[in-house]
Amino acid sequence: MADAAARPAAFVPADPNFEARVRDSFARQPFMEIMGAALGAISPGRVEVVLPFDAKVTQQHGFFHGGAMGAIADVAGGYAAFSLFPADATVLTVEYKINIMAPGKGERLVAAGEVLRSGRTLTVVRVDVHAEADGRRVHCATGTQTLIRLDGKSDGKA
Amino acid sequence: MADAAARPAAFVPADPNFEARVRDSFARQPFMEIMGAALGAISPGRVEVVLPFDAKVTQQHGFFHGGAMGAIADVAGGYAAFSLFPADATVLTVEYKINIMAPGKGERLVAAGEVLRSGRTLTVVRVDVHAEADGRRVHCATGTQTLIRLDGKSDGKA
Amino acid sequence: MADAAARPAAFVPADPNFEARVRDSFARQPFMEIMGAALGAISPGRVEVVLPFDAKVTQQHGFFHGGAMGAIADVAGGYAAFSLFPADATVLTVEYKINIMAPGKGERLVAAGEVLRSGRTLTVVRVDVHAEADGRRVHCATGTQTLIRLDGKSDGKA
Amino acid sequence: MADAAARPAAFVPADPNFEARVRDSFARQPFMEIMGAALGAISPGRVEVVLPFDAKVTQQHGFFHGGAMGAIADVAGGYAAFSLFPADATVLTVEYKINIMAPGKGERLVAAGEVLRSGRTLTVVRVDVHAEADGRRVHCATGTQTLIRLDGKSDGKA
């Protein structure tokens, strides 16, 4: 049975310059900078954010903080949506939900946002976070996110 | 990089008789019966519920009701979790979240619950609903669900 | 400190005829009819749906089915949003999340949807479900829901 | 009708020393420290986290970062649950869902977690975030969170 929502073929970015636009916007997020987060792989409708382990992003047990995990998941999902937008549009998170499945232990967290539905107004993204260490990865969080596209608004600082 | 949470190899049901246990429990759900829902494919950690189109499960625009979509997603996820439990345990839904990505239009809805994490107390499941018609399927809803295992409690009617 | 989002004063329905519009739309939902659900109190931005106990809306333990609980919560929230819309607009559920806090045991369930934010495009609603019996009520589910307003679309059957 | 889940009377902390335990644990969270977050009001089953505005917790438009908003909501909710636990138990977030209803603009964000259901294993918390400025407050985010209690585990660093 053909799947009308098959992902790979479905996503053609409205702006061929999408990767530069994602990198430029991410670089203007001070919160990501103080956390030490960086962009990973970027493709149309899929964006990764990588967070190396550092004491400053931990909680009281010495693991990655759940709030840090949620923050990079939110950002990865937001840019996954943004990567498909036209050049003159910006993105806002409407809501997100995340299940923490395992403690954030490891050398780095990798959050990946992957667009499931790209509509004119709303985008739905699946977000997954893996903790990596010693060549192994553990799926430590998963969730879904809804985002809204605002047309005619620069993503630049208001 | 090896993935410690790789699904297929991970799920060995605690009870080899899991499929009969799922079918028996489902058959005792009057709400599924009045909706006309039936079980589809069952494997360890993955269960489908199929809802054929019928006017009685529609909303005011004549499409599948979002509440009916949510109900079969909840049930598919619950039995996906239950399929991995020992014989003397039952399941309760802790919470679920669902994004409706497309209207429920078609000959049938197929909800699939797939376990992502199977813990001693809590199970996390991904649920997806597709609408099928004319040999095509549209991914119309996705979500995640948390379930709790209650040991030493028969799944039978209290 | 003044609360700019104080609820009571905030919600003036765009259509003074909102209650009739809610009742008319609800009456055209066959799924609510087969469940035996009815509307309860209606005010601008707040709508109740009442589900009397009946074997047909139960699960395998003889309590209200979680899917039935979710369905009336979704509908109560949808009409809470719809009650504030202009006459020529209809509503679609974008997503909802519900936590089941206690089993659905009692003579009836009462789901109440209450608008928290009413925007031009999106509405955010809090939904709560209480089980009532013998003059007592138990708060058995709570959640949030996002809805989208579609202008220029009749709520009538397509 | 009496409400069996009426909040105020319901919550008696298992440990009379709950406030000191919350403050001690919060002080051991490096991520909260680098964000500049602090505890606000604490009562049994209700905890506030306050985040003063600072460029380091902003996004590309110069407002509070949604990930920072989510992180303090997660922490406020976690300590609201923890405040009711016995002295030898710790808390883990199972999942949370948050709706962003307004941009995080203002002098400070105040996240409040409030327990709705306190069970032996699971706690359900409502979280709300307000942005405060010039003596006004805007309700900018709301959500629900599920937490699990781990008995016999010190909250101290592993």
Side-chain angles (χ1 to χ4, degrees), chain A residues 66-118:
Chain A
M69 205 185 275
I72 61 169
D74 176 36
V75 170
Y79 284 120
F82 184 70
S83 72
L84 299 177
F85 289 179
D88 68 338
T90 187
V91 66
L92 285 179
T93 296
V94 171
E95 59 81 31
Y96 64 96
K97 191 255 197 175
I98 193 160
N99 274 72
I100 313 288
M101 299 190 290
K105 296 190 214 183
E107 296 155 15
R108 75 189 67 78
L109 294 181
V110 180
E114 203 162 335
V115 174
L116 294 179
R117 177 193 181 270
S118 176

Side-chain angles (χ1 to χ4, degrees), chain D residues 31-52:
Chain D
F31 187 49
M32 289 295 104
E33 191 182 342
I34 61 145
M35 286 175 60
L39 285 165
I42 299 179
S43 58
R46 189 178 185 286
V47 169
E48 287 180 0
V49 174
V50 180
L51 182 66

Side-chain angles (χ1 to χ4, degrees), chain C residues 20-137:
Chain C
R21 212 158 33 91
V22 168
R23 295 199 179 277
D24 169 68
S25 178
F26 184 89
R28 285 182 284 107
Q29 293 214 17
F31 188 48
M32 289 295 104
E33 191 182 341
I34 63 145
M35 287 175 59
L39 285 165
I42 299 178
S43 56
R46 189 177 186 285
V47 169
E48 288 180 358
V49 174
V50 180
L51 182 66
F53 183 82
D54 187 291
K56 71 186 176 187
V57 287
T58 59
Q59 29 81 300
Q60 71 273 30
H61 305 125
F63 303 144
F64 279 102
H65 197 286
M69 205 184 274
I72 61 169
D74 176 37
V75 170
Y79 284 120
F82 184 70
S83 72
L84 300 176
F85 289 178
D88 67 339
T90 188
V91 65
L92 285 179
T93 296
V94 171
E95 59 81 31
Y96 65 97
K97 191 256 197 174
I98 193 160
N99 275 73
I100 313 288
M101 299 190 290
K105 296 190 214 183
E107 296 155 14
R108 75 189 67 77
L109 295 181
V110 180
E114 204 163 334
V115 174
L116 295 179
R117 176 192 182 271
S118 175
R120 196 169 48 91
T121 306
L122 298 178
T123 298
V124 179
V125 175
R126 177 170 294 160
V127 289
D128 287 286
V129 183
H130 287 80
E132 297 184 350
D134 302 323
R136 282 172 55 89
R137 48 204 316 256

Side-chain angles (χ1 to χ4, degrees), chain A residues 30-54:
Chain A
F31 188 48
M32 290 295 104
E33 190 181 342
I34 63 145
M35 286 175 60
L39 285 166
I42 299 177
S43 57
R46 189 178 185 285
V47 168
E48 288 180 359
V49 173
V50 180
L51 182 66
F53 183 82
D54 187 292

Side-chain angles (χ1 to χ4, degrees), chain B residues 19-120:
Chain B
E19 181 168 345
R21 212 158 33 90
V22 169
R23 294 198 179 279
D24 169 68
S25 178
F26 184 89
R28 286 182 285 108
Q29 293 214 16
F31 188 48
M32 288 295 105
E33 191 182 341
I34 62 146
M35 286 175 61
L39 286 166
I42 298 178
S43 57
R46 190 178 186 285
V47 169
E48 288 180 0
V49 174
V50 180
L51 183 66
F53 183 81
D54 187 291
K56 71 186 175 186
V57 288
T58 59
Q59 28 81 301
Q60 72 274 27
H61 304 125
F63 304 143
F64 279 103
H65 197 285
M69 206 185 273
I72 61 167
D74 177 36
V75 170
Y79 284 120
F82 184 70
S83 72
L84 299 177
F85 289 179
D88 68 338
T90 187
V91 65
L92 285 179
T93 297
V94 172
E95 59 82 30
Y96 65 95
K97 190 254 198 175
I98 193 162
N99 274 74
I100 313 288
M101 300 190 289
K105 297 190 214 183
E107 296 154 14
R108 77 189 64 78
L109 295 182
V110 180
E114 203 162 336
V115 173
L116 295 178
R117 177 192 183 271
S118 176
R120 197 169 48 90

